Amino acid sequence: MPSIKIQCPAKINLTLKVINKREDGFHNIESIMQAINLFDFLTINIEDSNITEILLDGNSADIPYNETNLVYKAAKLFLEETNISNKKITVFIDKNIPVSAGLAGGSTNAAGMLYGLNKLFNNILSESELHQLCAKLGSDLNFCLKGGCMMTKGRGEILEPHEYIERNINLIKPISLGISAKEAYTKFSEKVTDPKNRENYVNDLEWAVIDDYSELKHIKNKYPSAIMTGSGSTYYSFDDEFTNEDGYWIKNGLKTINYGVKSI
């Protein structure tokens, strides 16, 4: 039974500027994204079968293990694009990246699924074709596939190499607070008519949501140099180590990395 294990890194946004709203409802952004050494792991197995099945399992109670999971959607899209059928694909998701945290946990898992299936099927798709599938599934997948440090544009699917710097990274997140990208961009659209203080924020989405959540204001007041990543609710700092306190998930001592999803 062919099997592969894929390491899927989280990302942070070193900058995130929202340029405008697109006709398709998404927003054009310019964001420097950086991969970090916080990983989920996918174990993918393939068997011949009379039918096509995609079965997910994992160690987290915070994500679904059905067709709504982006990993499932990635596997389904890969099979459709390659005309592969009569396979039973089982995936175990070892989740370490918090959910709805601005760390691209779902996106990196989906990119890892595409990458892993392509490896198992002898690189049936080129890197360019994999990136085309990534762009169909979500805004952060292209970066997660490539990794390192990139200036991302469009919805996030357009990648331009950016200078990579090895740095220490510390993370803090309110345990009970997750913010979806949809919520953050909606709040941005509502607030952008009154741009007061926006220039004070490296991340436009932090500016959009911080006033609505006491947990985010608590982090910013305690660690003024900390920056929210993505749509939140995780903050990162290069300098400050975060101190343990009730209600907050903390991960100190991480580092930037110069790669994306890969097999191990």
Side-chain angles (χ1 to χ4, degrees), residues 16-21 26-29 179-195 198 201 203-210 212 231:
L16 199 170
K17 292 301 173 187
V18 182
I19 307 304
N20 54 34
K21 192 167 186 177
F26 291 96
H27 288 77
N28 284 312
I29 65 167
I179 302 174
S180 70
K182 181 179 179 181
E183 177 186 350
Y185 279 103
T186 298
K187 290 182 183 296
F188 176 85
S189 295
E190 293 168 349
K191 196 172 182 179
V192 75
T193 54
D194 181 18
R198 181 180 169 189
Y201 290 87
N203 178 350
D204 281 349
L205 297 183
E206 179 185 357
W207 167 78
V209 301
I210 190 169
D212 294 330
S231 56

Side-chain angles (χ1 to χ4, degrees), residues 162-173:
H162 195 273
E163 181 186 9
Y164 168 74
I165 302 173
E166 185 172 326
R167 313 191 217 197
N168 295 322
I169 299 287
N170 306 304
L171 302 178
I172 183 170
K173 177 191 179 298

Side-chain angles (χ1 to χ4, degrees), residues 30-44:
E30 290 185 358
S31 176
I32 301 172
M33 295 187 187
Q34 172 63 62
I36 62 174
N37 66 342
L38 174 64
F39 305 110
D40 286 347
F41 298 91
L42 305 183
T43 303
I44 307 168

Side-chain angles (χ1 to χ4, degrees), residues 56-75:
L56 307 185
D57 195 7
N59 66 341
S60 172
D62 296 327
I63 61 173
Y65 297 103
N66 56 32
E67 67 278 359
T68 64
N69 191 303
L70 206 53
V71 169
Y72 184 102
K73 293 178 181 179

Side-chain angles (χ1 to χ4, degrees), residues 2-234:
S3 178
I4 196 170
K5 189 170 185 178
I6 304 296
Q7 180 177 271
C8 306
K11 65 85 180 155
I12 58 172
N13 298 77
L14 302 182
T15 64
L16 199 170
K17 292 301 173 187
V18 182
I19 307 304
N20 54 34
K21 192 167 186 177
R22 300 152 50 113
E23 290 185 2
D24 61 8
F26 291 96
H27 288 77
N28 284 312
I29 65 167
E30 290 185 358
S31 176
I32 301 172
M33 295 187 187
Q34 172 63 62
I36 62 174
N37 66 342
L38 174 64
F39 305 110
D40 286 347
F41 298 91
L42 305 183
T43 303
I44 307 168
N45 297 288
I46 297 176
E47 299 176 62
D48 291 330
S49 176
N50 294 324
I51 59 173
T52 298
E53 287 185 284
I54 303 166
L55 303 174
L56 307 185
D57 195 7
N59 66 341
S60 172
D62 296 327
I63 61 173
Y65 297 103
N66 56 32
E67 67 278 359
T68 64
N69 191 303
L70 206 53
V71 169
Y72 184 102
K73 293 178 181 179
K76 183 171 183 287
L77 180 61
F78 181 90
L79 295 177
E80 290 171 351
E81 291 292 321
T82 55
N83 294 312
I84 293 171
S85 59
N86 294 341
K87 299 292 182 183
K88 179 181 178 181
I89 299 173
T90 59
V91 188
F92 187 88
I93 305 171
D94 181 1
K95 200 96 182 101
N96 300 294
I97 303 170
V99 176
S100 298
L103 295 168
S107 296
T108 193
N109 291 170
M113 188 67 189
L114 292 172
Y115 179 87
L117 287 176
N118 201 46
K119 285 283 189 184
L120 287 169
F121 288 105
N122 300 312
N123 296 314
I124 190 172
L125 298 179
S126 67
E127 183 178 355
S128 175
E129 288 170 327
L130 280 179
H131 274 289
Q132 290 174 29
L133 298 191
C134 284
K136 289 183 179 181
L137 286 169
S139 299
D140 292 338
L141 273 76
N142 295 88
F143 172 77
C144 294
L145 183 66
K146 191 73 173 177
C149 188
M150 295 278 164
M151 168 62 80
T152 65
K153 296 181 179 180
R155 291 186 294 114
E157 82 283 10
I158 300 170
L159 306 181
E160 298 176 359
H162 195 273
E163 181 186 9
Y164 168 74
I165 302 173
E166 185 172 326
R167 313 191 217 197
N168 295 322
I169 299 287
N170 306 304
L171 302 178
I172 183 170
K173 177 191 179 298
I175 292 173
S176 60
L177 177 62
I179 302 174
S180 70
K182 181 179 179 181
E183 177 186 350
Y185 279 103
T186 298
K187 290 182 183 296
F188 176 85
S189 295
E190 293 168 349
K191 196 172 182 179
V192 75
T193 54
D194 181 18
K196 186 175 66 174
N197 298 327
R198 181 180 169 189
E199 68 277 3
N200 295 336
Y201 290 87
V202 173
N203 178 350
D204 281 349
L205 297 183
E206 179 185 357
W207 167 78
V209 301
I210 190 169
D211 290 337
D212 294 330
Y213 295 104
S214 59
E215 300 97 326
L216 303 187
K217 288 190 278 190
H218 170 74
I219 294 172
K220 198 69 170 180
N221 288 336
K222 191 171 181 179
Y223 307 99
S225 66
I227 298 168
M228 194 180 85
T229 177
S231 56
S233 56
T234 305

